[in-house]
Each structure stands twice: as structure tokens, then as C-alpha cells.
């Protein structure tokens, strides 16, 4: 195949934009900047084994420079990129307690806000295991030209205009949706471009992988305990048992299950009534992708994207993946 048959991310999003007669290219530009920042983060991730990036934030390296943990680096990089795009008036990020609003005139005029987990799976950085970035984009509710407001971020997942993730794995991929299916792009490092490699991703209706931190088993609710047993049982017609796979990076666990069929659960526990994962920048964007690929995402009961957010860092139990599996896990009460 000639290399000119490659469809790059930028080309793909601008072709898609042409399908919306009134689109002005704002979202295209925003996504372009997210792609750009993720390439910069990817470069750092690939160097994570080299001493100067490892270590706690605040430490000083041999050159006397301040060391930054990758999650701090990623946070700064995405903030800079989103600000530079001129289309984003504010951000809610896992790394900052409060929302960030941009004061520059161009950014204040931006039509979008972004919720982001700049580095997901940070416990895996130091051990060379896949990590990710998760993002969610909303149209602002406040007036353009003014500062972004907290209520711009506290919108239900159903209001997302786009969402996606980047997985920094054995290869780096960007997967996103704007509500017209899910498409995946693999970074070709030799040309520095994300290239369409997984068009129109559809997840299997049922799968054979379950992903959950079973170390917390004793604290799980009954339905989850029963579901784990169900996955482990041998059953003639379906030839269970299923495989247990848990990386500890939501992006990586979800990505595998999306392609192969499976379920990811981070339930409430006796100790953490709302589980661990964050609604705004982990569950909602992943839920949007799951649904767009034909899968499902709930809190064990309610559709994730219909939950009314109350605060930017709020946590929620999370069940996502193949529809039949999520239904089964929910049904065993
Ligand atoms: P983050 O690194 O952004 O804080 O997210 C970590 C999350 C998620 O990626 C992962 O699925 C989960 O935490 C793992 O938690 P446990 O170690 O409790 O299983
Ligand atoms: Mn995370
Ligand atoms: Mn994170």
C-alpha cells in the first residue's frame, strides 16, 4: 500500500467536520491540540526509564533542574496546549483541586471546556506498563467572552460533544468519539502522525475477560462477589471460566476489553461507598466511548452519562464493557 493512503488524525477530523455544514472548525482545532500535547507526553513517557524524569515531584536532578513526575508534566503540557488552542475557556483536571479558567481574550472566547485525567494509571509509570490520558469535551453554558464557570463543568455525560483517550502502550493510540462512532489512530513515530488504524470500533456484545481488583474482594458488594464466582465457574455451553485481566490503568484495561470483549468493574466497597474512579474525567469519557462502540457503562444501576455531577472530583462506582456482561453483573443482586 502506498503510504499516501494513510489517513492522519488531522485529516480525519477535518473531513468529518466537512460533514457538519455549520461547523466552524473549533472542535477540530481543539482535538488537534489534544493530539499535539499527547505526542509530547508520549515522547516523555518513552523516556520514563531514564533517570531525570523518575522520582517524586519537587526533587532536584543532577543538572540541578527540578524533577517533575510524569503526571505533573502531562498536566502542564495539556493545560498549555488547550490554552494555546484558543477554543477552550477552562479545564478541570485531576491534578488541580479547582477548575482552571483562562483569562486571555482568545481563550475566554473559546466555546469549550475540557475535563481531563492527564496521566491515568500513574502507579504503572515506573514499571514500564501501559498508561493513558482521558479527556472529555463540553460546550460551555456560560457566555463566550466571559470566564468559564463551575457550572460549565458540571454537565451530565450525555452533554459531551467529544471524548477520548490516549494509550501509551506497546504502541501509542488515540481513540475518540464525537458521537458518530469510535475511531482509533496509532501513532507512527517515524512520521510523527496518528494514523487511522481502527476505524469504526465496535465492541463484542459479550466477552470472556473480567477486570477488577480482586484484592478488594472481601469489601465488594454481593452482586460483584457473585459475578466473580460466575466468571470463575465452568459452564458447559459457554465453556467458562473467563480470564481475569487487570492492569491497574483504566485506559489500558478498558482498551483491551473494548477490542476483545470484556467487563471492567471498579465497584463501591464497604470503605469507599463511591468507589475510586472520577465521574468527570474517567467514567464519563470512557462511558461515551463504550456506548458509541455498542457497549454499556453504569454505576451498577444507573447509566453513567445520566448522573448529574455535583463536584468536579466526585467519585462513582463504575461498570463498563460488553453489554451482556454488564447486564449480568448488575443482575446478580
Ligand atoms: P490515576 O493514575 O489517574 O490516579 O488513576 C488510577 C485509577 C485507574 O486508572 C485504575 O483503574 C485504578 O485507579 C486502579 O486502582 P486500584 O489500584 O485500586 O485497583
Ligand atoms: Mn485515572
Ligand atoms: Mn491521573
Amino acid at each position: 500500500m502506498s503510504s499516501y493512503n494513510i489517513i492522519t488524525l488531522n485529516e480525519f477530523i477535518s473531513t468529518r467536520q466537512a460533514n457538519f455544514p455549520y461547523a466552524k472548525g473549533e472542535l477540530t482545532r481543539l482535538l488537534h491540540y489534544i493530539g499535539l500535547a499527547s505526542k509530547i507526553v508520549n515522547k516523555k513517557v518513552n523516556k520514563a526509564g531514564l533517570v531525570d524524569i523518575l522520582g517524586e515531584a519537587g526533587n532536584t536532578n543532577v543538572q540541578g533542574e527540578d524533577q517533575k513526575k510524569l503526571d505533573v508534566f502531562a498536566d502542564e503540557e495539556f493545560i498549555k496546549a488547550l490554552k494555546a488552542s484558543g477554543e477552550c475557556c477552562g479545564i478541570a483536571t485531576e491534578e488541580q483541586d479547582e477548575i482552571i479558567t483562562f483569562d486571555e481574550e482568545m481563550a475566554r472566547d473559546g466555546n469549550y471546556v475540557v475535563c481531563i485525567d492527564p496521566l491515568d494509571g500513574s502507579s504503572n509509570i515506573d514499571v514500564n506498563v501501559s498508561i493513558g490520558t482521558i479527556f472529555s469535551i463540553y460546550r460551555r453554558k456560560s457566555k463566550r467572552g466571559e470566564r468559564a464557570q463551575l457550572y460549565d463543568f458540571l454537565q451530565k455525560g450525555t452533554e459531551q460533544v467529544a471524548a477520548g483517550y490516549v494509550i501509551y502502550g506497546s504502541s501509542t493510540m488515540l481513540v475518540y468519539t464525537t458521537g458518530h462512532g469510535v475511531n482509533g489512530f496509532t501513532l507512527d513515530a517515524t512520521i510523527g502522525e496518528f494514523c487511522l488504524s481502527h476505524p469504526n470500533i465496535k465492541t463484542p456484545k459479550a466477552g470472556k475477560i473480567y477486570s477488577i481488583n480482586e484484592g478488594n474482594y472481601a469489601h465488594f458488594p454481593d452482586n460483584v462477589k457473585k459475578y466473580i464466582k460466575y466468571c470463575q465457574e465452568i459452564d458447559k455451553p459457554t465453556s467458562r471460566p473467563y480470564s481475569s485481566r487487570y492492569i491497574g490503568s483504566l485506559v489500558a484495561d478498558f482498551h483491551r476489553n473494548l477490542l476483545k470483549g470484556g467487563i471492567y468493574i471498579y465497584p463501591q466497597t464497604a470503605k469507599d461507598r463511591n468507589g475510586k474512579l472520577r465521574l468527570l474525567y474517567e467514567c464519563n469519557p470512557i462511558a461515551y466511548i463504550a456506548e458509541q462502540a455498542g457497549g454499556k457503562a453504569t454505576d451498577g444501576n444507573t447509566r453513567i452519562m445520566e448522573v448529574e455531577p455535583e463536584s468536579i472530583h466526585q467519585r462513582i462506582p463504575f461498570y463498563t464493557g460488553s453489554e451482556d456482561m454488564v447486564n449480568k453483573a448488575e443482575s446478580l443482586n
Side-chain angles (χ1 to χ4, degrees), residues 94-95 117-122:
E94 184 189 6
E95 300 300 325
D117 179 353
L119 215 296
D120 174 66
S122 29

Side-chain angles (χ1 to χ4, degrees), residues 94 117 119-122 213 246 248-250 264 266 276 282:
E94 184 189 6
D117 179 353
L119 215 296
D120 174 66
S122 29
N213 185 345
Y246 191 75
S249 296
L250 170 64
Y264 175 96
Y266 208 110
K276 175 182 185 188
E282 290 181 318

Side-chain angles (χ1 to χ4, degrees), residues 182-197:
V182 179
N183 291 284
F185 300 79
T186 302
L187 181 62
D188 182 338
T190 58
I191 57 169
E193 296 275 9
F194 282 107
C195 303
L196 182 62
S197 53

